Amino acid sequence: MSTLYKFNKYLLFILFGFILVFLPACEKDDVKPDDPKILARNEFYELMKEWYFWYDKMPDVDVEDYDTPEELLKALRYLPYDRFSYIASKTEFENVVQGKYIGHGFGYSFDSEGNPWIIFVFKDSPLYPEGVRRGWRIVKVNGKVISQSNIGTIFGDSKEGVENTIEFLTPSDSTVIITTAKKEIQKNTVLHSDILHIGGKIVAHLVFEGFREPSENELADAFGFFKNAGANEMILDLRYNPGGIISVTTLLGSLISGEDTDNRLFFKYLHNDKKTSYDEEVTFAKEPNSLNLKSLIVITSRSTYSASEIIINCLKPYLNVVTIGDATGGKPVGMYVWYSDYADYAFVPISFKIINANGEGDYFEGILPDASCEDDITRQFNDREEACLKEAIYYLTTGSFSGRKGRFVSQPLKERLTLEDEIGAI
């Protein structure tokens, strides 16, 4: 049937090796040979019956009632737990793995009054050399005010060359108007790194956006810098990190924990009862630039998912892990990826769950923070007055939390059903 790209276990989890898996597909004589979507629908149904983590909880359906794999997935999804399975084109999916997409190269968020703000800008963005940074407010696009209802369409199609004129308000209250065209953006996943000196402690501070193919070199550079600086504490900012490649997850966990966890159990994959032979244990690796930390502070939000949650949950048996911000997104499960034999589809259904060395997982409602604070989108990541960083510094200084909550309201759980959700940027 389909070729399984055993994507290094995908949470979004991706590329580990290539394994051919032949599932009991429908006979090609059963469908019209000139209708690839029907053929793809049928192979997807067979796939779900074998590999879907909740195959035994799927509703009974008549597959002939659905014309495409996308329609069938919507009918088969096990709710409320599966907020994540999706289908994309092969090229779109591969671009996400590589950290590439078509756009302007920035992330955004709305404040409590409905104003949109820049929350990060990738270095490959045409806006980066123009000086656009986190903390700039988007006033208008092509003369129109942005709202939460039109944000998905106001920037136009995701095609190279699509131009938009964007009016910004800078932190100094200056108006800046820039006309810029969409292009293929190569994400940098380390958005910021620096060293903080706090009460005699040398604190590594890393803002990490995603576990992608380019991340290994970026993390090597960042942790080489931290190691040379003598870092003995760490603030890891994962507030905008939706997950990614499992090899990068293992790398980051190993760089944080160090020699005390070398070759010890990091986490386990557990599959449905048809696929228990694929259950697997993943151990920490020995890394020369590991920091050998005993504790870790992680800044989180509802946009902190899967691989990011593995870092939190699966380091807890070995380190004192403290979380600050909002509850995480709640994705203790992951996916494999199958390419259709008949049409341009990448099938990405939930295929396994993750537990730590203590057997703990199932955080579908998210991992609750030890201290709550709002994402202060008006301030730079290294601004010590930024609410979450300020709380982390308070904890490192005093060993307790400030108790400041301000206007904090925890955000609801989100669905991540499309490739746009995985990209997380414009």
Side-chain angles (χ1 to χ4, degrees), residues 179-354:
T179 297
T180 183
K182 292 186 178 183
K183 55 166 283 199
E184 181 177 84
I185 301 293
Q186 175 63 65
K187 292 183 174 185
N188 55 288
T189 55
V190 171
L191 296 178
H192 177 83
S193 61
D194 66 343
I195 288 287
L196 305 176
H197 295 273
I198 301 170
K201 299 174 181 177
I202 303 173
V203 183
H205 177 215
L206 180 72
V207 184
F208 192 47
E209 185 273 339
F211 297 73
R212 313 293 182 194
E213 286 183 353
S215 302
E216 293 191 8
N217 290 335
E218 294 181 57
L219 289 174
D221 290 343
F223 276 81
F225 168 64
F226 296 151
K227 185 81 169 180
N228 290 335
N232 51 25
E233 299 281 355
M234 186 171 194
I235 300 170
L236 177 61
D237 192 334
L238 299 176
R239 73 181 85 183
Y240 304 131
N241 195 313
I245 305 174
I246 246 320
S247 60
V248 179
T249 313
T250 305
L251 172 64
L252 179 57
S254 301
L255 285 168
I256 292 168
S257 60
E259 60 188 23
D260 288 346
T261 60
D262 286 352
N263 298 316
R264 298 183 71 179
L265 178 62
F266 191 11
F267 57 86
K268 295 181 182 180
Y269 302 107
L270 299 178
H271 297 74
N272 69 37
D273 59 10
K274 293 183 179 183
K275 301 298 178 183
T276 55
S277 62
Y278 286 83
D279 291 354
E280 185 179 346
E281 295 186 352
V282 175
T283 57
F284 291 93
K286 186 177 180 65
E287 295 293 339
N289 286 327
S290 64
L291 300 184
N292 302 312
L293 299 180
K294 308 300 181 186
S295 62
L296 175 69
I297 297 174
V298 186
I299 296 175
T300 61
S301 77
R302 283 298 196 186
S303 295
T304 304
Y305 286 94
S306 66
S308 294
E309 292 170 304
I310 285 181
I311 293 295
I312 298 166
N313 185 54
C314 299
L315 284 177
K316 280 186 175 181
Y318 306 104
L319 278 70
N320 176 35
V321 180
V322 172
T323 54
I324 292 171
D326 199 353
T328 63
K331 189 184 178 191
V333 288
M335 300 98 135
Y336 294 120
V337 180
W338 285 262
Y339 283 179
S340 171
D341 288 337
Y342 304 107
D344 185 18
Y345 285 120
F347 302 133
V348 194
I350 295 295
S351 309
F352 54 87
K353 75 173 183 177
I354 302 288

Side-chain angles (χ1 to χ4, degrees), residues 143-155:
K144 297 179 181 179
V145 175
I146 301 180
S147 67
Q148 296 190 45
S149 62
N150 69 11
I151 187 70
T153 58
I154 197 169
F155 288 94

Side-chain angles (χ1 to χ4, degrees), residues 125-190:
S125 168
L127 296 173
Y128 193 86
E130 298 284 350
V132 180
R133 295 293 187 271
R134 175 181 171 89
W136 286 39
R137 186 159 69 85
I138 308 171
V139 180
K140 292 179 181 178
V141 176
N142 302 323
K144 297 179 181 179
V145 175
I146 301 180
S147 67
Q148 296 190 45
S149 62
N150 69 11
I151 187 70
T153 58
I154 197 169
F155 288 94
D157 294 337
S158 296
K159 296 179 180 178
E160 292 191 70
V162 171
E163 278 195 349
N164 287 292
T165 299
I166 309 174
E167 180 180 336
F168 298 98
L169 187 65
T170 73
S172 61
D173 289 332
S174 299
T175 296
V176 176
I177 298 175
I178 300 173
T179 297
T180 183
K182 292 186 178 183
K183 55 166 283 199
E184 181 177 84
I185 301 293
Q186 175 63 65
K187 292 183 174 185
N188 55 288
T189 55
V190 171

Side-chain angles (χ1 to χ4, degrees), residues 15 69 79 112 185 201 230 377 382 401:
L15 252 65
L79 299 175
S112 59
I185 301 293
K201 299 174 181 177
I377 57 180
N382 63 347
F401 300 112

